[in-house]
Amino acid sequence: MRILIALVFIVSIVGCKSPEARYPVSQNSGSYIDESVERNKEMIAQEEDYIKQVMGKNTDTEYLNSADGFWYYYNNKSTDSTNTRTPEFGDIVVFDYTISSIEGEPIYAEGEKPTREYAMDKEKLFTGLRQGLKLMKTGETVTFLFPSHKAFGYYGDQEKIGSNEPITAKVTLHEIKEESNQEPKN
């Protein structure tokens, strides 16, 4: 019996040892991520150069450069001095838009995309369009030129827009409704 008690005592002392950290069998240097970052920087630079070439061919249009990394021009700019409000977080905006390739080939023509109600920054919408709407006032129509990372990126829209495709979006903002306590529509 003493042997059994001694054995239990020894096992309990040895069993209370804290666990040791397991180390990985191999370690990655992170070079794959570094290479991917470089490829993406090159791709973005090429897209931006191409967009600038396309803009250079249209000398009649005054392009504006956004701080968010895309270009735009006004098709219809509000001249009403009382119309100064732009959408803010949570506001509901009502808008129509068309999407074309950078060269102007229609991808989603007028009427193909329904009029959309969108709760600013509370629903899903591709990055460039979300940022572009914040520049607009009620009644304005603006054409945006988005590099692919501001549009649908690597995945495209999984319908008509391919991977890493820069696009042009012509947007008409019909209405800005101030934020309310109602649930946004999807």
Side-chain angles (χ1 to χ4, degrees), residues 18-114:
S18 63
E20 292 182 23
R22 296 182 347 183
Y23 297 98
V25 175
S26 65
Q27 294 181 349
N28 291 332
S29 66
S31 63
Y32 174 76
I33 293 173
D34 294 340
E35 291 170 9
S36 179
V37 167
E38 287 306 312
R39 276 193 309 272
N40 287 337
K41 284 181 181 178
E42 289 174 17
M43 181 186 70
I44 290 168
Q46 289 173 355
E47 284 181 11
E48 289 177 352
D49 287 345
Y50 184 68
I51 292 170
K52 288 175 185 175
Q53 287 175 9
V54 169
M55 290 187 305
K57 293 177 184 175
N58 192 357
T59 56
D60 296 337
T61 304
E62 180 186 345
Y63 291 94
L64 303 167
N65 189 359
S66 106
D68 293 312
F70 57 86
W71 296 265
Y72 63 101
Y73 63 90
Y74 287 91
N75 302 80
N76 179 27
K77 186 171 182 163
S78 175
T79 55
D80 182 359
S81 61
T82 62
N83 183 15
T84 59
R85 190 171 190 289
T86 58
E88 297 174 6
F89 178 83
D91 289 345
I92 306 294
V93 293
V94 180
F95 66 96
D96 287 315
Y97 67 106
T98 62
I99 296 178
S100 305
S101 68
I102 288 295
E103 297 83 12
E105 294 298 317
I107 298 173
Y108 290 105
E110 190 169 336
E112 225 174 314
K113 290 279 190 186

Side-chain angles (χ1 to χ4, degrees), residues 80-161:
D80 182 359
S81 61
T82 62
N83 183 15
T84 59
R85 190 171 190 289
T86 58
E88 297 174 6
F89 178 83
D91 289 345
I92 306 294
V93 293
V94 180
F95 66 96
D96 287 315
Y97 67 106
T98 62
I99 296 178
S100 305
S101 68
I102 288 295
E103 297 83 12
E105 294 298 317
I107 298 173
Y108 290 105
E110 190 169 336
E112 225 174 314
K113 290 279 190 186
T115 298
R116 173 103 190 253
E117 281 193 15
Y118 168 71
M120 289 301 296
D121 298 326
K122 290 187 172 184
E123 298 178 53
K124 289 186 178 180
L125 190 65
F126 70 88
T127 305
L129 185 52
R130 187 173 64 242
Q131 294 168 335
L133 283 168
K134 292 176 184 177
L135 301 172
M136 298 179 70
K137 299 172 189 149
T138 302
E140 292 184 332
T141 300
V142 178
T143 300
F144 298 98
L145 289 81
F146 298 119
S148 65
H149 68 281
K150 290 291 179 180
F152 293 92
Y154 178 76
Y155 294 104
D157 74 342
Q158 300 178 347
E159 291 179 31
K160 294 182 175 185
I161 300 171

